Every structure is written in structure tokens, then in C-alpha cells.
Amino acid sequence: MKMEAVLNCSSQHEKPCGLILQYGTAGFRTKAEHLDHVMYRMGLLAVLRSKKTKSVIGVMVTASHNPEEDNGVKLVDPMGEMLVQEWEVYATNLANAEQNELQAVLTDIIQKECISLQQEASVAIGRDTRPSSENLAHAVIDGVTALNSKYHDYGLVTTPQLHYIVCCCNTEGRYGTPTVEGYYNKLSSAFNNLVKQAHDQGDKKKCLSVDGANGIGALKLKEMEEYLQSAISVQLYNDGSRGKLNHLCGADYVKVQQKPPQGVEIKPGEPFCSFDGDADRIVYYYNDSVGHFHLLDGDKIATLISTFIKELLLKIDLTLKMAVVQTAYANGSSTRYLEEVMKVPVYCAKTGVKHLHHKAQEFDIGVYFEANGHGTVLISKTAEEQIRHLANMEQNDEKKKAANMLLSLIDLINQTVGDAISDMLVIEAILSLKGFTVQTWDAIYTDLPNRQLKVKVADRKVIETTDAERRTVKPPGLQEKIDDLVKNYNMSRSFVRPSGTEDVVRVYAEADTQENADRLAHEVSLAVFHIAGGVGEEPKPL
């Protein structure tokens, strides 16, 4: 490694004095003007990771659902998964190193990981539509070329498309063709195969209104429409032609505000969905006949998909280990429905997609979604082989049809990461096959009323949790107080957890009525404020 060239180039991507960042589930995220040095150094790290794994590594320039003036970066591991946790530490150390420490930090990574610098490296780079993304992608390229390594700049892509491309590159095409066109072809072919098997729809074409969050998802969905053989008609809103990215629109806005994006008029019963800024999250919603807003979030999506898969498995008489993985934020009604009605095991993982993904890998079929709409389905190689064998060898027509449906579903699902476009097509295919409207889907179970609040504290680290963040172990007395408060309400539960990025404690409560959920959330917030070192004004009733 020609360290002199690396350091010389690094001096052109200067680190702001005193800036400290942490690589987490979302990678790095902050104001775009602070990220030039980070991008250069993530180019370097991607090369080292590529040499270590002897694989193509992805670098995605995006800040997802954050405001337009922010940006960020995520590294994509060989099978399209998120960067392994051990390397998150390297990313953090590298981003925070002062110029005179950079050589030592790089040398430390190379020695600890026994990286051969003679090994070739290849990096796949993608970016979202933010005004800052193009220049920041160039900084990544500078990092890759400073280490004399190869790269392919895929330009404007959704985050899930880059994950798909990286997986394709490292499986010699077994997962698909490593291009955006390959992605469109794979997903559209599977979708068209599925909807063809729906009961006679007559001339009625499926229609869906989509809020693209003024982001990359809108751009790519437009490109994909021609591949869908008019099986679905998409009406795009917030398509990026005007309006700011994620401003008063997008999946995060709809989920948090519990209302449709601004500038969109929803007719009663009309199905709508929203992507986030980099198209890895999706939520559905509609207004009923009296104008009441109904949100179908990640819990509803996981329930629809897992129920459909379970029904197909029963038809082909195949026993596979299947489970749904949720976080503590999952609505209690969804958990009860899955366990008690569908007899599907449910497991709880810590908040953060990487934790759910890791847990889902333990099963033949693992369905995971965060309540925010980020999730997917993982199908083991063994399960896929068994299903494929049945599709090829089964003599019974009904069983053969069900096995082929499962194979199409496997192709339609982006197993590398949550994918708004893929998830949307999976949902639309299932609704067609089951003859469901969005209202029928919503009626599978009724969400328990819930409330999320934040409490400012002097130091969020005073809160320590266990049991997938559902119970606190520190500070002393807090969990006992929460337990006492929960006893006062029907069908209630509450938990608190420290924010991963700021000195606040997040409070979640649910109960039989919205009034009770609100009261419980407020009472737990007061307990957090007084026991965990709250700052500022005491939380006020809602």
C-alpha cells in the first residue's frame, strides 16, 4: 500500500475539527457538509473489506428518511447484508481519526484482519437523489482509487437495489443479474407470474397510489412500470419533480404523524402507500368512509405475508421451521394474532434491522419487519430446494401450483434487505391472490391503541435494558415502577429504551383505549424523568 498517496489524497478531504461520529445500523448520518472526509475513508475501508472477504463490497451514499440537507453512508457486505458489527468499530475509528492518526488506524485494521494488500478489490457504489450525493460519491471513489482498486459506479439507485447488485456479483449471478435492469426483470417476472394466477379479475386492473417521498424510489418505480405488463397501475405522488426530499411526506412522516402526506387528497377506501427517501421502508394506509385514517405498518405487512406463506406451506404439506421476528415496538395485537390464530411462532429482537435480520436467519423461513415498515423475508437454501423439488416432481395439480407460487414469491422478495418496491409488489400480489381489499387486510386484527414519547435526560447511558429491550435493569427501581403503572390499565404494556443517537429515553405504551395508552405513556415518562435524571421541564399530560 502506497501510504503516501493515501495520506496526500486524504488531505484533500479534510476532517472538520472536533467532529465525532458513530457507525450504527444506519451507517453514518449527519449534515452533508461534514461528510466529505468520511466518504473518502469509507472508500478506503470498503477496499480493505473487499480484500479481506475476496468479494465485491457496496458503498451506498444516502441518509434514508433524514431531511434533504443531511447525508450518510452505509457499507454493504458480500451477500447484500449490512456491514458486520466488528467492522462498525473500524468504520468509527477511521472516520474519527485525525489526519496524523490515519496511517496508524489503517495499519491496525490491516494487521488485525490479516489483510493481504496484494489481493484485488472491487467496490460497487450507489447514491440517492440528494443534491450532495454526487460529490460525496466522488469522495468515495477517491478513497477506492487511492488504494489502486477497481470500482463500479452505479449512479442513482435505491439502497435495496445496491444490496441486490452486491449479492448478485458475489453469487456469480445465481441470485440474479447484477444490474438495475436485472433487478427489474427478476421482480417483474415473479410479480406477473403470481398475479396471473389470481382468480378472474375481469378487466379490473389493480390501481395503487404511491408517495415516493420526492426520492430515488419514485424515480426507479417510474422506470420499472414498463416491466409490469400493465398488471398494476401506479399513480405517483411526490415524485421528485417538485418538493423537498422527505419534507412532509414519505413513510417516516406518515408513520410518526399518523396522517397522509401533505398535498395528497385520499378518496375514502383508496389504497395508498409511502416509501422513505432511499426506498427501503414502506407503509400502507387509507381513509375510511367517515374520513378516519388507517395505517397498515410493518406489523400488518409481516402478518399478511407470513399468513400467506403459512397457507401455501399447509397446501403443499411441507413442514418448515417458520417464524416472525418483531421488536418490542410491535403492536401486541399482531403478536397475539400470529401466535394464537395463525400458530406462527414470534420472536422479539432488539431494535435495529441488523438484529432482526440476524435472528430471522435462524429459521427455514424468517419474516421480519420493524413497525416503521422496514423488513423482508429470509428463505434458507434448504427450504428453497425442498420447495423447488416439489414444484418439479409433485403430481397433484393443487400442490404443484402452490409450490410454484412459493417459488415466484421467493424471486419477488429481496432477501438482502428491506425493499419498498419489492415489498409493495409482494403485498399487491398477495392481495390479488386472496381477493383482499386494503380494508379486508386491515380487518385481520385491530391494533391496540398506543403512544410513543421522548424524555430528555442528562445521560441516556443510565438506562440499561434486557429481554430485547422490553425490560430495564438500570437505574434501580425504574422497572418496578413501570410494572406497577401497567397494572392499572387493561391489555396494557410499556417499555423504555435509550435512544441510539441522542440523550433521550424513548417511551412506548399501549392499552385498551387511546386515552389509557396516553395516560400510561405520560405516567411512565414521569417515572423516567424522576428516576433516570430528566432535564428541562417535567413531561406534561397529552
Side-chain angles (χ1 to χ4, degrees), residues 17 62 66 121 128 212 234 495 507:
C17 188
T62 183
N66 279 37
D128 70 13
V234 173
F495 69 90
V507 173

Side-chain angles (χ1 to χ4, degrees), residues 64-342:
S64 189
H65 57 276
N66 279 37
E68 189 174 88
E69 56 272 18
D70 289 358
N71 218 318
V73 60
K74 306 175 186 176
L75 268 64
V76 181
D77 252 5
M79 290 299 104
E81 66 277 68
M82 293 178 182
L83 183 67
V84 291
Q85 211 155 349
E86 299 80 31
W87 279 65
E88 289 183 8
V89 179
Y90 297 149
T92 299
N93 292 343
L94 201 52
N96 293 331
E98 299 303 331
Q99 178 70 9
N100 62 353
E101 300 168 331
L102 190 57
Q103 181 171 345
V105 172
L106 286 168
T107 303
D108 182 59
I109 296 168
I110 292 162
Q111 289 176 349
K112 277 182 178 167
E113 294 295 328
C114 303
I115 294 167
S116 166
L117 294 175
Q118 278 65 52
Q119 173 66 42
E120 285 197 349
S122 183
V123 178
I125 300 165
R127 58 184 163 88
D128 70 13
T129 55
R130 291 163 197 274
S132 59
S133 288
E134 189 170 3
N135 283 340
L136 291 174
H138 284 307
V140 174
I141 291 169
D142 283 351
V144 175
T145 54
L147 284 173
N148 293 318
S149 294
K150 294 185 296 183
Y151 69 90
H152 189 133
D153 183 3
Y154 288 90
L156 290 166
V157 288
T158 68
T159 294
Q161 284 174 341
L162 188 73
H163 282 253
Y164 162 88
I165 286 166
V166 170
C167 184
C168 292
C169 288
N170 293 316
T171 52
E172 297 171 339
R174 287 191 304 279
Y175 189 66
T177 306
T179 61
V180 172
E181 291 74 23
Y183 170 94
Y184 294 150
N185 280 318
K186 181 182 179 184
L187 268 63
S188 61
S189 174
F191 177 75
N192 294 330
N193 285 340
L194 280 168
V195 293
K196 274 179 201 166
Q197 297 176 68
H199 296 300
D200 185 25
Q201 305 263 314
D203 294 325
K204 193 177 175 186
K205 186 162 72 169
K206 286 188 73 66
C207 297
L208 180 65
S209 297
V210 180
D211 157 30
N214 290 315
I216 186 67
L219 192 69
K220 295 301 169 181
L221 189 55
K222 269 186 207 169
E223 289 179 5
M224 192 175 183
E225 274 195 276
E226 64 182 89
Y227 293 79
L228 295 169
Q229 298 175 3
S230 304
I232 184 169
S233 172
V234 173
Q235 176 68 49
L236 259 173
Y237 294 85
N238 300 317
D239 64 357
S241 56
R242 59 183 182 275
K244 280 179 76 173
L245 175 69
N246 295 324
H247 182 61
L248 305 176
C249 61
D252 195 57
Y253 174 85
V254 172
K255 170 70 178 165
V256 172
Q257 300 298 325
Q258 299 279 308
K259 63 183 180 183
Q262 290 211 357
V264 171
E265 192 177 336
I266 304 183
K267 294 172 188 163
E270 178 185 359
F272 241 94
C273 70
S274 284
F275 297 173
D276 68 335
D278 66 338
D280 63 3
R281 291 185 188 183
I282 184 171
V283 293
Y284 270 68
Y285 46 96
Y286 68 96
N287 279 345
D288 62 22
S289 56
V290 294
H292 182 248
F293 178 76
H294 293 254
L295 178 70
L296 292 87
D297 60 10
D299 297 338
K300 290 272 185 182
I301 294 168
T303 304
L304 179 75
I305 294 173
S306 56
T307 297
F308 183 70
I309 293 173
K310 176 79 183 283
E311 288 167 353
L312 288 178
L313 290 175
L314 288 171
K315 278 184 184 175
I316 62 177
D317 199 22
L318 189 59
T319 305
L320 292 171
K321 196 176 175 189
M322 178 181 166
V324 173
V325 184
Q326 299 180 327
T327 70
Y329 287 105
N331 195 278
S333 287
S334 70
T335 311
R336 271 191 287 276
Y337 176 82
L338 286 164
E339 289 184 328
E340 295 171 14
V341 179
M342 290 311 302

